[in-house]
Amino acid sequence: MRHKFAIVVAAALPMLAGCSNPAAVDEVRTPIPTADVTSADGWLGQICQDPNNISIAVDDGKGNAVERRVDDQQPIASAVKVVPLAAYARAVAAGTLDPRQRIPVTEWERWYFPGTDGGAHEQARTRLPGDTVTLDQMVSAMIRESDNAVPDYLRDRLGDQALIDAAAAGGWHDYLPSSKLGDVIRLLDPEVVDVWAAARRYVSDPTYRDATQSKPLPSSYDEVAAWADTTPTASARQLASMHRSIATGSFGPGSDIARAQLEWQAPPDGFVAIGFKGGSYPGILTDAIYLRRADGTVATAVLLNRRMPETTWQAALNSYSQQELLIRAMTEPDVSHRLTCAP
């Protein structure tokens, strides 16, 4: 099926920091850059221009931290996939799941809604051809390409409590399991209340599945962005806690398994590893990143942006320069200082 508007859940390459502390205005006089989501400096201006819609949590692992609206709940799009990853990692460590198990692609694709993931599933299948894939390969598609079918598959297989317990192990308490497939169905049918029940019906009832797929997705950015603003949320602190606990190993058994999935990209010079999971929906942009150093210290950075105008959101998706800003905020004290103290 082709649709005019494809919901994008991006798994962007990490790269990445700003805002105001009135007490420090006399100390720092660096002008605030013009708001521009196509450059790292421009993002500093963007953050200061839109303080009510951007949450930031940066901890460089060396005693310096930046917090902005860190406990406010915001839609997080595919950044939520760190939780089913964590649940998978715990299950593998406990021997409940075998990462080498071959899974028929047809079983994976029961949870797939064509045309709603910005091409993520097709990209994953290009990387992982064949009629079967290992369970570990499926999970890699959830992290690398940001496939939307895998987290629902894992929720169905592991159960809600496994996800809740995994989130709590990472310091994210009061986590509520969500459904990517169910949320898409709700977009098509706003009367849907129980999105997980709708997702499971889609999987088990071919008639309902065909009827649901026959419905046209909204073509209006504003309509889809309004829906995106009602999708599952988290705080920057909760996401940062999940990534830090996995990176440091305080998450417990399965930390190494989760790290192996998150750390699939080469780190910047001077670091042992970089872990990343971000995402986007229309109007929503999220990034959660950690850096591990050889001395054992870990830096983390989370940026959550909501209610972005279409032109701003599209420009940000084309550049991903906020990731450069976050990396710099974790590694350059002066950038972190500007993020906190921009006059």
Side-chain angles (χ1 to χ4, degrees):
M1 294 169 55
R2 290 181 61 117
H3 300 284
K4 182 178 180 182
F5 195 93
I7 300 172
V8 178
V9 184
L13 294 174
M15 283 184 307
L16 223 90
C19 227
S20 177
N21 177 357
V25 168
D26 291 338
E27 180 182 346
V28 178
R29 294 294 180 185
T30 304
I32 300 172
T34 301
D36 175 14
V37 296
T38 65
S39 71
D41 280 348
W43 262 100
L44 180 62
Q46 180 72 15
I47 290 163
C48 294
Q49 177 179 281
D50 193 17
N52 296 323
N53 290 314
I54 300 177
S55 296
I56 296 173
V58 177
D59 184 339
D60 70 358
K62 300 288 188 179
N64 301 307
V66 178
E67 296 185 345
R68 183 176 189 83
R69 300 180 62 249
V70 290
D71 293 314
D72 291 0
Q73 292 288 310
Q74 293 198 188
I76 59 170
S78 282
V80 73
K81 292 171 183 172
V82 69
V83 175
L85 169 65
Y88 162 79
R90 281 164 59 95
V92 170
T96 305
L97 292 179
D98 180 358
R100 299 164 297 180
Q101 180 188 4
R102 303 297 303 188
I103 309 295
V105 169
T106 53
E107 182 67 17
W108 174 7
E109 292 185 339
R110 291 170 65 209
W111 299 93
Y112 173 54
F113 197 117
T116 62
D117 64 357
H121 183 73
E122 289 85 351
Q123 292 166 20
R125 291 291 290 125
T126 297
R127 181 172 62 87
L128 303 170
D131 295 333
T132 67
V133 294
T134 67
L135 181 56
D136 204 58
Q137 287 173 327
M138 271 184 63
V139 172
S140 77
M142 177 178 70
I143 301 301
R144 296 190 188 194
E145 289 85 13
S146 209
D147 177 89
N148 279 350
V150 177
D152 279 18
Y153 171 90
L154 290 173
R155 178 180 177 181
D156 184 65
R157 186 160 177 182
L158 292 170
D160 287 3
Q161 195 60 50
L163 273 69
I164 292 168
D165 291 346
W172 180 349
H173 303 285
D174 302 320
Y175 167 83
L176 296 175
S178 58
S179 171
K180 291 295 182 186
L181 174 57
D183 279 332
V184 169
I185 295 172
R186 180 172 61 85
L187 171 63
L188 295 169
D189 182 3
E191 293 186 3
V192 169
V193 176
D194 188 335
V195 296
W196 185 229
R200 298 185 79 179
R201 182 181 176 189
Y202 175 98
V203 168
S204 62
D205 183 343
T207 301
Y208 179 70
R209 179 188 183 104
D210 291 344
T212 303
Q213 288 188 4
S214 70
K215 296 180 180 180
L217 286 166
S219 59
S220 163
Y221 176 89
D222 290 343
E223 184 177 354
V224 183
W227 161 84
D229 203 39
T230 68
T231 54
T233 66
S235 70
R237 190 189 302 278
Q238 288 168 329
L239 271 183
S241 179
M242 286 296 300
H243 282 264
R244 176 167 289 278
S245 68
I246 290 170
T248 62
S250 63
F251 176 73
S255 294
D256 57 336
I257 297 165
R259 283 197 298 265
Q261 292 285 356
L262 292 169
E263 297 175 1
W264 62 280
Q265 298 169 102
D269 290 343
F271 293 89
V272 172
I274 183 169
F276 171 79
K277 186 70 198 88
S280 67
Y281 280 145
I284 307 296
L285 188 65
T286 65
D287 288 283
I289 305 171
Y290 68 76
L291 295 170
R292 291 198 292 118
R293 301 182 179 93
D295 64 6
T297 59
V298 170
T300 54
V302 173
L303 183 147
L304 308 178
N305 201 169
R306 65 182 178 186
R307 300 169 187 168
M308 301 173 73
E310 182 174 8
T311 55
T312 303
W313 180 72
Q314 291 284 4
L317 284 184
N318 289 332
S319 73
Y320 286 106
S321 55
Q322 82 281 359
Q323 295 169 1
E324 178 187 350
L325 180 59
L326 292 177
I327 293 289
R328 291 179 60 193
M330 288 188 283
T331 59
E332 302 175 26
D334 59 326
V335 174
S336 177
H337 184 71
R338 291 185 68 199
L339 182 59
T340 305
C341 304

